[in-house]
Amino acid sequence: MQLISFRKSCIFATFLFTFLLFIAIASLFLVPNPKDILESITTAEMIYSIKLSIITSVISTFVVLVFSIPIGYSLSRFSFKGKNVVKSILDLPMAFPELVLGLALLILFGQTYIGKFLEYIGISVVFTKLGIVVAQVFTALPYGIRIIYSTFEEINPRYELVSRLLGYSELETFKNISLPLARNGLFASTIITFARCMGAFGAVLILAGGSYMNTEILPITLYLNISYGNIGMAITSGIVLIIISFLAILIFEKFEGRNSNSSKI
Amino acid sequence: MSFIKIDNLNIRLGNFHLKNCSLTVERGDYLIIIGPTGSGKSILLETIAGFYTPEKGKIFINGIDITNLPPEKRDMSIVYQDYMLFPNMTVFGNIAYGLKKKIKDKEKIKDEVNHIAKVLNIDHLLDRYPNTLSGGEMQRTAIARALVVKPKLLLMDEPFSALDVKTRSKLRSLVKNAIKEYNTTVLQITHDFEDIWSLANKVVVMKNGVMLQKGSLEEIFNKPSPNFVADFVGTNVLDAEIIGKDGDLTVLNVDNLTLYSYELDYNKHCNNGGYNKVKVSIRPENIVIENKNKDIYFKSERNERNERNVFIGKIKKIVNRGYIISLVVNVENIDFNVYITPNNIHSLNLKEGNEIYIIIKPENVRILYNSKNKIKN
């Protein structure tokens, strides 16, 4: 009896919060005039913003994957000095506000020798499109690493030992066995990273600046237009972001559902 | 020079310590390592495979030190209890995986795969993926993948324990044939004594990271080190005193019970007042049981045939171990472990508390010489 009421309470809490969230999201679609949205979505600013968001997010997602695969693998498979410290530092950006991350990156690329050296060789990060990518990469990297690390943790390392005893080197085994077995996790990581890059705001605003039709990605469009009082444009960028995130989560859930072995009571 | 020599191997993993393990394996040996869970068997196997780096000690194959070689240079292969078949490859792909590294000729690879698949009776499964196979089929594929590369040493970590009894027994005989055909040296871990009886020629008993005893089947089962090894392998080990000679037989006294053994050359060892306190071992499967009520002439017939070591005992405990029934039979305050088949227990209609005859052939009463009781030559 007690179990049933506990179960009902849990399910009630689930529905209550889902309902509130759904209403909040639905209001974004229901409140504005559809004509406004259609007009906003075809403006040069919005098209520029969507294009820039997608291009920078695709590049950032690629960069995140390139780094998070070896990082996730080494954290999962190898023992080395300072591993726990490295893990904590890599997780830090998930815990502190994006604005702080943006500020830290601004100082790194603006005030330190690293930034000055990059400027010297012609690579400008601060207030440029490259800055958007850098901010997105630093924001999304901890999430990418987390998923890939968990994926490799779930793969029994004995598969790799079998392969190595059959004559394949560490790299060949990684390529032939570990990577194919991690395929689903890599896919999940790609989706989540991409969604995270699309939604990155605070760090992008501080490092790349929120300049109109220059470093303007969708969250910046929302921010700039709400500042000007242009609600139609702000809502439209919000809707586009939600649709992209929703599609990403939908794909992710589909993948999760297909691979989940957990039993349900 | 031994084919494989493990010299004083030490490895520390967290709180676990594998201590001073030394072992020699000859070409063609089938060595089985047994021991309770947590005794370090798998760690030893994976250290030999190159998965762990030992803290101390060396591993040699054919006299070549391979201690620091990466796994891919060791010329070994491994079979795990949970198969570890690559799920992204078919049965053919799994078996051919190691061959592709060694042979470039695709036709030759195909021939080799087909051959081993036939030997292990999985030639009809080559296009299937591992998730569509039964446990026995998966394990045969894993064994084929390991054997087809003709490794110098095949390592097997409880290869049959995830399978049902019937499949296990079938697979054992298939593996036996395959190993014979490929002339492979094997080092296997098991909890199942059936594996030892049907496959091994050498046995190592481990506990808490230490090798307690190593030797032939005869040595381990008939002459186990007293206490843990004897207990673990189920052998009855009793304190005895050599009290005399009767023809070819040595007469022993075990707590006022007279036992006869063929083991000892009495004249050679005992005539000059040598050490006469020894331990004797009797394998539980070498003790025969007869129903006391079945035949009232039983004992006199036996005596007429001059049979020795016939005692009346009382069944204290009956434990069903699946393919074998284990009895504890008390004979004049001495407990004997006895193994019989499930068929026997039904035909003899045995129950706890029943009185029965136990018969032990003198050749099955083995005298152990530990260092303390060693008989001087």
Side-chain angles (χ1 to χ4, degrees):
Chain A
M1 189 66 195
Q2 216 173 15
L3 185 72
I4 292 169
S5 56
F6 171 73
R7 181 186 288 210
K8 279 184 176 169
S9 312
C10 290
I11 294 171
F12 175 72
T14 311
F15 270 106
L16 180 69
F17 188 74
T18 310
F19 176 71
L20 292 174
L21 188 64
F22 178 74
I23 290 290
I25 295 167
S27 60
L28 199 65
F29 288 84
L30 298 173
V31 171
N33 187 342
K35 203 178 144 199
D36 280 355
I37 292 176
L38 277 177
E39 273 175 16
S40 302
I41 210 158
T42 51
T43 59
E45 183 188 356
M46 186 59 73
I47 291 169
Y48 180 88
S49 176
I50 292 173
K51 262 191 192 168
L52 187 62
S53 287
I54 291 174
I55 292 169
T56 53
S57 296
V58 167
I59 295 170
S60 301
T61 303
F62 176 75
V63 175
V64 166
L65 280 178
V66 165
F67 280 97
S68 54
I69 291 173
I71 294 172
Y73 188 74
S74 57
L75 290 178
S76 161
R77 288 291 189 268
F78 309 132
S79 302
F80 50 89
K81 270 188 186 166
K83 184 173 166 179
N84 284 336
V85 179
V86 168
K87 263 171 104 175
S88 307
I89 293 172
L90 287 172
D91 279 347
L92 261 182
M94 286 204 286
F96 62 59
E98 259 193 61
L99 284 170
V100 181
L101 176 67
L103 187 64
L105 291 172
L106 183 66
I107 293 168
L108 175 71
F109 291 106
Q111 303 285 315
T112 65
Y113 287 114
I114 294 173
K116 282 172 188 157
F117 172 74
L118 289 175
E119 280 287 347
Y120 177 73
I121 59 169
I123 300 171
S124 292
V125 176
V126 178
F127 303 140
T128 62
K129 292 184 180 69
L130 179 61
I132 301 174
V133 172
V134 171
Q136 286 176 337
V137 166
F138 276 86
T139 308
L141 191 68
Y143 297 89
I145 292 171
R146 200 29 100 85
I147 298 171
I148 289 175
Y149 166 75
S150 315
T151 305
F152 284 125
E153 277 289 287
E154 279 172 25
I155 298 172
N156 194 330
R158 284 173 167 170
Y159 283 117
E160 290 159 13
L161 180 62
V162 168
S163 163
R164 293 198 61 193
L165 281 174
L166 289 170
Y168 291 86
S169 70
E170 216 165 4
L171 179 66
E172 287 168 327
T173 294
F174 180 73
K175 193 168 65 83
N176 296 341
I177 305 298
S178 316
L179 267 186
L181 293 186
R183 197 183 57 219
N184 291 339
L186 295 178
F187 174 69
S189 174
T190 308
I191 298 288
I192 295 294
T193 302
F194 181 74
R196 197 68 200 86
C197 290
M198 286 294 288
F201 171 65
V204 176
L205 183 71
I206 303 275
L207 184 66
S211 64
Y212 174 75
M213 300 274 279
N214 177 26
T215 55
E216 189 180 351
I217 55 169
L218 281 167
I220 303 285
T221 307
L222 193 155
Y223 170 72
L224 290 177
N225 282 285
I226 210 129
S227 313
Y228 309 147
N230 192 351
I231 301 296
M233 279 291 281
I235 290 178
T236 308
S237 38
I239 288 174
V240 175
L241 273 173
I242 283 183
I243 291 172
I244 291 169
S245 304
F246 184 72
L247 285 175
I249 296 298
L250 202 71
I251 295 169
F252 179 66
E253 285 296 326
K254 204 175 168 192
F255 146 81
E256 277 285 279
R258 205 176 51 216
N259 292 285
S260 170
N261 292 321
S262 59
S263 58
K264 293 174 183 71
I265 302 164
Chain B
M1 184 176 61
S2 299
F3 180 50
I4 289 159
K5 187 179 168 197
I6 294 161
D7 187 20
N8 200 27
L9 210 63
N10 278 263
I11 185 161
R12 214 179 276 272
L13 290 172
N15 290 331
F16 181 78
H17 188 187
L18 196 72
K19 295 169 216 120
N20 309 326
C21 291
S22 296
L23 188 67
T24 53
V25 183
E26 300 307 327
R27 195 185 291 271
D29 271 351
Y30 198 119
L31 184 137
I32 284 190
I33 304 172
I34 49 167
T37 309
S39 54
K41 307 181 297 289
S42 294
I43 291 174
L44 174 67
L45 206 74
E46 289 184 336
T47 306
I48 295 169
F51 201 49
Y52 301 113
T53 313
E55 197 178 70
K56 216 172 90 183
K58 300 253 177 230
I59 305 165
F60 300 90
I61 289 194
N62 269 338
I64 298 162
D65 183 359
I66 60 151
T67 320
N68 295 313
L69 282 185
E72 61 269 26
K73 305 263 185 234
R74 294 190 177 210
D75 210 350
M76 297 177 187
S77 52
I78 195 162
V79 175
Y80 281 109
Q81 174 187 351
D82 34 10
Y83 327 119
M84 290 297 135
L85 293 178
F86 307 131
N88 53 324
M89 297 177 197
T90 59
V91 169
F92 181 91
N94 267 281
I95 301 173
Y97 184 72
L99 281 176
K100 281 179 188 164
K101 186 71 188 171
K102 294 189 167 181
I103 308 170
K104 295 293 161 222
D105 181 355
K106 283 186 179 170
E107 279 307 307
K108 180 110 184 7
I109 292 174
K110 216 173 157 184
D111 290 347
E112 296 270 356
V113 173
N114 284 332
H115 178 71
I116 187 94
K118 228 170 241 165
V119 172
L120 285 162
N121 198 16
I122 45 172
D123 47 333
H124 57 296
L125 304 170
L126 291 174
D127 295 331
R128 301 253 297 265
Y129 278 88
N131 61 355
T132 67
L133 305 178
S134 69
E137 289 166 344
M138 279 198 267
Q139 198 55 291
R140 275 182 278 162
T141 307
I143 292 166
R145 179 179 65 183
L147 266 180
V148 78
V149 291
K150 301 187 175 91
K152 279 186 183 149
L153 179 64
L154 173 63
L155 305 164
M156 299 214 272
D157 190 349
E158 296 190 44
F160 313 119
S161 53
L163 311 170
D164 61 83
V165 178
K166 210 171 160 187
T167 313
R168 222 181 283 177
S169 148
K170 262 190 199 167
L171 195 48
R172 267 191 215 108
S173 73
L174 273 175
V175 165
K176 201 172 181 175
N177 292 339
I179 281 165
K180 203 171 166 190
E181 182 174 335
Y182 281 79
N183 191 26
T184 311
T185 308
V186 184
L187 214 151
Q188 185 192 326
I189 288 171
T190 191
H191 279 116
D192 188 346
F193 284 95
E194 276 290 305
D195 289 349
I196 301 176
W197 303 131
S198 42
L199 298 167
N201 69 325
K202 279 185 182 168
V203 182
V204 173
V205 183
M206 285 186 75
K207 191 193 175 192
N208 294 338
V210 177
M211 286 180 172
L212 294 178
Q213 193 178 357
K214 48 206 158 190
S216 63
L217 263 71
E218 153 75 13
E219 282 165 317
I220 297 293
F221 286 94
N222 286 323
K223 297 182 174 180
S225 301
N227 303 327
F228 177 77
V229 177
D231 263 5
F232 189 74
V233 299
T235 304
N236 297 287
V237 176
L238 309 163
D239 287 313
E241 195 181 347
I242 299 169
I243 53 171
K245 197 184 164 210
D246 182 356
D248 292 340
L249 300 172
T250 300
V251 188
L252 298 143
N253 181 314
V254 180
D255 264 351
N256 297 326
L257 194 77
T258 305
L259 274 176
Y260 295 85
S261 168
Y262 272 125
E263 234 339 273
L264 188 70
D265 185 342
Y266 182 83
N267 289 328
K268 193 176 167 193
H269 295 296
C270 290
N271 269 353
N272 52 2
Y275 293 77
N276 60 352
K277 287 204 188 314
V278 291
K279 284 184 187 290
V280 295
S281 80
I282 304 158
R283 284 297 303 160
E285 63 275 10
N286 289 338
I287 300 178
V288 178
I289 280 194
E290 293 284 354
N291 205 331
K292 195 184 162 209
N293 302 324
K294 194 178 148 192
D295 185 355
I296 52 167
Y297 302 109
F298 174 78
K299 187 146 194 220
S300 55
E301 277 178 18
R302 293 247 164 199
N303 281 341
E304 271 169 33
R305 296 209 306 265
N306 203 21
E307 284 198 1
R308 312 295 181 142
N309 301 336
V310 180
F311 310 106
I312 293 175
K314 194 172 185 178
I315 301 174
K316 270 173 76 175
K317 206 160 128 190
I318 300 178
V319 181
N320 189 340
R321 296 182 194 277
Y323 57 89
I324 212 141
I325 309 283
S326 158
L327 309 180
V328 178
V329 180
N330 187 274
V331 180
E332 294 183 23
N333 293 326
I334 302 166
D335 284 344
F336 286 89
N337 290 320
V338 182
Y339 292 162
I340 60 170
T341 62
N343 275 348
N344 264 347
I345 200 155
H346 289 125
S347 61
L348 293 170
N349 192 24
L350 298 178
K351 290 190 178 61
E352 284 178 10
N354 281 9
E355 283 205 329
I356 48 161
Y357 284 119
I358 69 168
I359 305 113
I360 310 160
K361 286 186 178 169
E363 57 265 39
N364 290 327
V365 178
R366 313 302 295 270
I367 296 177
L368 307 177
Y369 317 111
N370 60 24
S371 56
K372 223 168 139 188
N373 299 325
K374 198 167 186 175
I375 290 166
K376 287 176 180 170
N377 282 313

